[in-house]
Amino acid sequence: MTPNIDPIIHIDEELCTGCRRCAAVCPVDAIIGEAGTPQRIDAHRCVVCGQCVQTCAAYAAESDPSLTSRAEKLRQRGQLSSVREPLFAAYSTGHAIELKEALADPKRYKVVQCAPVIRVSLAEEFGLPLGTLTPGKMAAALRLLNFDRVYDTNFGADVTIMEEGSELIGRVMSGERLPMFTSCCPAWVKHAETAAPHVLDHLSSCKSPMQMVGALVKTYSAELDGIAPADILSVAVMPCTCKKFEAGREEMNVDGLREVDMVITTRELAQLIKDKGIDFINLPDEPFDSPLGKYSGAGTIFGATGGVMEAAIRTGYELVTHESIPNLQLDFIRGDEGIRTATVQIGDLELKVAMVAGLKYVSSILEQVAGGTCPYHFIEVMACPEGCVSGGGQPKLLLETQRKSAYQARKSSIYRHDSNQKVRKSHENPAIIKLYKDFLGEPLGHTSHHLLHTKFFSRKVKGELK
Amino acid sequence: MKKERPNSFVIAEAGKCIGCKACELACFAVHNRDNGVAAAVGTVTTPVIPRLYVIRTDSFTMPVQCRHCENAPCAGVCPVQAIQQEEGAITIDEDRCIGCKACAMACPFGAISLYKAYSSGQEHKQPHLRERLDGHLERKTRVIAYKCDLCHDIVSDGNTASGEIAAAGRVTDISKGDMTVGPVPACVSVCPEQALTLVSPSLGASRSRKAAGLRL
Ligand code: SF4
Ligand code: SF4
Ligand code: SF4
Ligand code: SF4
């Protein structure tokens, strides 16, 4: 895959009614146009979060003869011809057609990873109640789709905690480049690069869990499986439209190979499963493959706002104090849209943290950082309203009135999944311990730096409308 | 004894409507549970057939739907008595409808549309009538009349009880002269601009007279 130059988020002029509801949810004012006329997206500002895609209700009426045919629209959108759902004005470019072709290629070794929140939302596409948890059916479906290895982004979330936690402790001890921001939400990273390059030094240098798994798939696991990295097709299933953009970033490669070759959304995975005629609801549960499919509860909660913070504290606490954390369920961190702050006592250190959910809330913090008055050590930023549970690639709701309950159901499903795990801290995940022992050495070590960390670049130019 | 009152109906304020079609989508969603439609768009396998339509002119947009006429002309012309007065709403018994289009012609508001019928997410085929398609005979899909039924058997079963549809919309009870919030049709509950109102007039009271009084 060449670096992605497609802007990914589009508005179909033929369908847009100019209601501007998308503009109301866009966190960065990237939607331009007069009310009542078709809108356009300023690709420079747009952070590809897909919230506009989630909101838009203007659909192509089958009975309207003036519209381009459905078959042609599906083709333009990169969607499988078997897709039956209505087509809306705001949409994201699909990659399911490309993936379907690649999956039929016997010469490639096909590896997939799934983000923490796919397993709590995928079943909604098959009519099961909001937030139904189906990790086992998902793994089974992916095997039926012809993947050779079914791995998990949750594993990458555990690696992220090891790296980012160590980075945070280092920065807090030295007092350098504080506050430290999380860097796993690509929409937040793009926004920082575009609108606030002055904070780029404050971002954790960690790649996102998806890119970490991608990098490990083409090195660590390729070695274990005896596969040439160039023969591997690395696919990610994400709740997020911006992950398509992230995977295409030029610097996201290991030794010249793309870490993640292709990204599809939750909705696209459901479409592929239906396309193949798989009876998802009645699939027996299957496990993920080892080692990149073994995860802790901490990896799981990345999908909800505050999750990265909670996971980091579970591990950070123990790394610093060498004592077991008294309570694993950090309720004071859980919540929804907006800014939440907390102070966590870790040994002698009073760690001040903030969680931002919904990119529109980040500006006050960015101003504080610019003015040198930001009181926090560690700040989690998630672009979507409640973190990835509400991502732009997640199942789209027919009724606006169900939005809150859908996010709530998906979130409680994630937390339930965490509390049912035997291992709930990243540094206690046996597969993670083995990864460091056999391959990475130590967090922030030489191999980690080469594979798991990155740099960010200012995208600040005079914002031009295309 | 139940107080005699005219049928309620949903009316839109053109000045508020932004033309987003959320009402059309919600209407379709709640009326197609039998066609497998659940919460997610991905569960939809039939065309979206709403029972109200957002219309557009140069100067305004607003949804148009059935007024639930007291002396419903559509019911008067229906040759098979498929159109009935039921619990304060004029409804079409879709199983009975023969697709004759008489109601669509009789309705002064253009509130009735004819479309294919679906059951269990598939086109509903007729037992007897066939048509030639791609060179061979196939059973013809039934076509029926669709119109607003004020979500009359939906609001009570799925929505208020389970909290699926929050009562975000407004119900105007003119007899009380105030705004009361209660169970409302799907379109009213989802409108982001609250452009739709379920109006429940009472017999004898003129809306404008009462409204004029309230403004004093
Ligand atoms: S893209 Fe959709 S939500 Fe945005 S203005 Fe157009 S119709 Fe409305
Ligand atoms: S994808 Fe997100 S940032 Fe881009 S236009 Fe849509 S809502 Fe705005
Ligand atoms: S919060 Fe999650 S889904 Fe939303 S943009 Fe960020 S990574 Fe993507
Ligand atoms: S369909 Fe038309 S004629 Fe029949 S009750 Fe409704 S508005 Fe009146």
Side-chain angles (χ1 to χ4, degrees), chain A residues 80-378:
Chain A
L80 296 163
S81 56
S82 60
V83 166
R84 293 175 76 182
E85 64 182 53
L87 303 179
F88 294 89
Y91 68 94
S92 55
T93 306
H95 293 93
I97 299 179
E98 238 176 300
L99 177 56
K100 188 181 168 184
E101 278 165 21
L103 283 171
D105 181 353
K107 290 194 290 298
R108 300 186 88 171
Y109 190 75
K110 294 153 296 258
V111 179
V112 68
Q113 55 165 313
C114 324
V117 292
I118 311 298
R119 71 210 67 196
V120 301
S121 59
L122 181 60
E124 293 171 18
E125 293 279 309
F126 299 89
L128 294 183
L130 296 168
T132 307
L133 179 67
T134 54
K137 290 185 197 299
M138 178 176 79
L142 288 163
R143 283 203 185 94
L144 289 173
L145 284 174
N146 218 15
F147 281 106
D148 298 300
R149 278 277 181 274
V150 179
Y151 286 156
D152 208 321
T153 314
N154 290 7
F155 178 87
D158 280 335
V159 183
T160 303
I161 289 304
M162 300 299 290
E163 296 291 327
E164 194 167 288
S166 308
E167 189 183 357
L168 176 66
I169 293 167
R171 288 210 205 174
V172 172
M173 296 305 171
S174 67
E176 275 168 25
R177 288 179 294 153
L178 290 173
M180 185 172 101
F181 287 94
T182 56
S183 56
C184 44
C185 169
W188 149 238
V189 170
K190 184 175 191 254
H191 181 64
E193 290 177 327
T194 311
H198 65 274
V199 303
L200 290 180
D201 258 1
H202 291 265
L203 263 59
S204 160
S205 66
C206 287
K207 289 178 184 171
S208 72
M210 173 181 86
Q211 296 298 149
M212 287 194 181
V213 170
L216 292 171
V217 157
K218 294 210 175 169
T219 54
Y220 178 60
S221 93
E223 223 171 279
L224 289 178
D225 288 347
I227 304 285
D231 292 340
I232 295 178
L233 175 79
S234 155
V235 178
V237 187
M238 292 285 134
C240 174
T241 41
C242 195
K243 289 283 171 189
K244 292 178 185 257
F245 169 83
E246 181 183 35
R249 291 174 66 114
E250 221 168 309
E251 64 278 14
M252 296 297 177
N253 70 81
V254 267
D255 309 323
L257 293 173
R258 300 230 57 82
E259 290 163 353
V260 175
D261 295 297
M262 219 179 269
V263 175
I264 59 165
T265 60
T266 319
R267 292 171 67 190
E268 289 178 275
L269 174 58
Q271 290 162 359
L272 276 164
I273 293 172
K274 290 173 190 168
D275 185 74
K276 198 143 199 203
I278 296 169
D279 179 9
F280 181 80
I281 292 183
N282 294 309
L283 283 179
D285 287 349
E286 287 183 17
F288 290 88
D289 288 312
S290 279
L292 269 57
K294 296 256 172 285
Y295 55 92
S296 75
T300 290
I301 57 176
F302 262 56
T305 157
V308 182
M309 181 66 69
E310 183 166 342
I313 289 176
R314 287 182 192 176
T315 285
Y317 185 92
E318 303 198 352
L319 293 186
V320 171
T321 62
H322 305 288
E323 277 167 28
S324 187
I325 188 163
N327 181 8
L328 273 178
Q329 182 166 322
L330 307 179
D331 283 322
F332 57 93
I333 282 174
R334 302 181 178 187
D336 44 36
E337 204 172 15
I339 300 184
R340 282 159 291 128
T341 60
T343 305
V344 194
Q345 197 65 43
I346 298 183
D348 300 333
L349 173 70
E350 267 202 347
L351 190 76
K352 289 195 168 62
V353 301
M355 280 76 57
V356 181
L359 204 52
K360 61 178 188 248
Y361 297 103
V362 84
S363 51
S364 61
I365 293 215
L366 295 178
E367 278 161 27
Q368 288 178 352
V369 175
T373 59
C374 184
Y376 311 110
H377 295 100
F378 189 33

Side-chain angles (χ1 to χ4, degrees), chain A residues 15-21 36-37 55-64 84-86 88 123-128 130 267 271 274 395-402 405 410, chain B residues 18-22 24-30 33 36-50 53 56 115 121-122 163-166 168 186 189-190 192-193:
Chain A
L15 300 180
C16 177
T17 66
C19 68
R20 287 189 53 80
R21 282 178 71 208
T37 61
T55 295
C56 180
Y59 64 94
E62 217 95 347
S63 54
D64 187 341
R84 293 175 76 182
E85 64 182 53
F88 294 89
E124 293 171 18
E125 293 279 309
F126 299 89
L128 294 183
L130 296 168
R267 292 171 67 190
Q271 290 162 359
K274 290 173 190 168
K396 176 178 163 101
L397 299 168
L398 285 158
L399 293 171
E400 184 59 37
T401 41
Q402 286 193 320
S405 42
R410 292 173 193 166
Chain B
I18 54 173
C20 68
K21 302 223 264 188
E24 287 190 18
L25 202 60
C27 173
F28 163 76
V30 301
R33 305 283 193 222
V37 176
V41 165
T43 59
V44 176
T45 58
T46 70
V48 175
I49 302 175
Y53 293 88
R56 251 168 201 287
Y115 277 118
Q122 303 291 333
E164 267 181 18
I165 295 181
S189 79
V190 299
E193 302 297 313

